[in-house]
Amino acid sequence: RAALFVPIGAAVFLCHSAGWGLLGVLVFGYEWRRRKSLASLLAPWPLFLPFAAIALQPGVGASFDYGAGVASYKFAIWLKALADRWPLLDMLSVLALLGAILFALHRRWIDGRLGWAALIVALLTLVMPRHFGGGDFADLRLVPIALMLGCMAIDVKAPRWVLWLAPALFLLRLGVTSLGWQEDSQRLERDLAALEHVPQGAKVAGASAYFSGQWGANSTEHAPSYATLYRDALVNTHFALPGVHMLSVKGAGAEFADPSQRVAVSPGDAVDLSNHPPAARADYIWYFGENPVAKLPEGAVVLYRSPTSLLARLAKRPPAR
């Protein structure tokens, strides 16, 4: 079985490196419950082969940074573990899951085969830096997994009414999330009409309104990337960090990539795009956000406008010398 899991571990790593890491934690947690010794650290050895690929990967140490305000940030990633668009519902959902796990722990209803893994992942959310291996929010992504494993570890012979009640939170969140995604989809479908004005192979500078205190994720932050899909356009909203992503950007500079599209604003403020850096290397500027646009680069001509987006053709510039 161990020999079989050497290629299985490598295949899991190729599919999703974080999933491979979680698999190793799950195996270790299971073995720790069984052995309670340091030998448990070596129990997942059939999964170790990808460590060689990680060590040889260029840019593997590209970032290892906790950022500013570590304590408040770590608290926030737990508070916003299920952040979507309704803060009260999202916070109550996290509290409900934590309450169920802690109550089960108090009553000794936690199965250690998954319980230890849940605890380890929870600790990793505090130990892991925000920026790791060139990525962002490495620790934040572990919080929902810790909650999931904690719930899965609850082992009790519950009354039938509890079994019917257990899926209630999931069904509620599935419903409100589906409604929110449907709303986003309809808005995006309308705003993609701007692509009728974009020729094949154009350079498009995406711009997206960004609030530093925004509750949930910005659903249109990478919407300009649709220009690549439908018009083979070069857009600055792709993930293209050297040594981290397989995609590389040519012809517009290394800085013409995510997160160059972010434009910091406050709710209700007008947006000034007159000096949006990616626009200096583009033919068009495509803005997404509910904040109105007050200024565009000099000579820009608006081709499409909606309540949540704007597309403008930029003035021709003389070639750089």
Side-chain angles (χ1 to χ4, degrees):
R1 186 173 63 180
L4 184 62
F5 266 84
V6 173
I8 289 177
V12 172
F13 173 78
L14 289 174
C15 293
H16 200 289
S17 58
W20 164 78
L22 178 62
L23 178 60
V25 171
L26 287 168
V27 173
F28 169 73
Y30 177 90
E31 291 295 333
W32 177 258
R33 176 187 177 275
R34 190 168 69 91
R35 304 183 186 187
K36 293 291 196 307
S37 70
L38 294 179
S40 306
L41 288 171
L42 297 178
W45 71 262
L47 304 175
F48 288 177
L49 180 61
F51 278 125
I54 294 174
L56 296 174
Q57 182 180 0
V60 68
S63 64
F64 192 93
D65 181 29
Y66 284 89
V70 177
S72 59
Y73 166 74
K74 293 293 185 180
F75 174 76
I77 64 174
W78 274 90
L79 186 66
K80 301 171 68 173
L82 301 177
D84 187 25
R85 64 195 70 205
W86 294 279
L88 181 59
L89 174 62
D90 297 337
M91 287 187 286
L92 289 176
S93 298
V94 174
L95 291 176
L97 296 176
L98 281 174
I101 295 169
L102 293 176
F103 181 74
L105 182 63
H106 173 70
R107 298 300 296 268
R108 299 182 184 275
W109 292 343
I110 296 293
D111 188 329
R113 289 175 294 181
L114 282 175
W116 280 107
L119 177 60
I120 294 169
V121 175
L123 292 175
L124 283 174
T125 65
L126 304 178
V127 175
M128 284 280 291
R130 169 176 171 169
H131 302 278
F132 181 73
D136 195 3
F137 298 124
D139 50 355
L140 178 147
R141 303 172 199 277
L142 296 176
V143 178
I145 296 175
L147 292 171
M148 178 186 68
L149 291 176
C151 290
M152 292 174 64
I154 297 175
D155 184 17
V156 59
K157 188 174 178 60
R160 186 176 296 274
W161 66 268
V162 174
L163 299 180
W164 283 106
L165 184 63
L169 179 61
F170 166 74
L171 293 174
L172 172 63
R173 292 198 60 88
L174 179 64
V176 296
T177 301
S178 298
L179 290 174
W181 283 18
Q182 182 184 33
E183 179 184 333
D184 289 344
S185 178
Q186 292 172 347
R187 182 175 64 178
L188 180 63
E189 189 72 25
R190 177 195 65 207
D191 292 341
L192 289 183
L195 289 174
E196 296 176 3
H197 304 278
V198 178
Q200 289 285 330
K203 290 183 180 179
V204 178
S208 178
Y210 170 74
F211 308 108
S212 59
Q214 187 170 328
W215 176 254
N218 184 352
S219 61
T220 59
E221 185 169 334
H222 296 93
S225 294
Y226 277 96
T228 298
L229 180 64
Y230 292 113
R231 293 293 184 268
D232 292 326
L234 180 62
V235 188
N236 62 316
T237 49
H238 299 311
F239 298 106
L241 296 177
V244 178
H245 302 112
M246 298 178 70
L247 179 70
S248 60
V249 177
K250 297 181 179 180
E255 71 281 0
F256 198 80
D258 176 89
S260 65
Q261 75 275 14
R262 288 184 175 181
V263 180
V265 296
S266 298
D269 287 354
V271 180
D272 183 356
L273 297 176
S274 58
N275 293 307
H276 187 48
R281 299 177 177 272
D283 306 315
Y284 296 83
I285 186 168
W286 196 7
Y287 165 77
F288 283 83
E290 296 182 358
N291 293 53
V293 176
K295 294 182 180 180
L296 288 167
E298 184 179 356
V301 177
V302 176
L303 303 176
Y304 176 86
R305 188 192 298 267
S306 79
T308 53
S309 72
L310 178 147
L311 175 73
R313 182 174 62 243
L314 297 171
K316 296 293 185 181
R317 294 176 174 79
R321 295 183 179 179

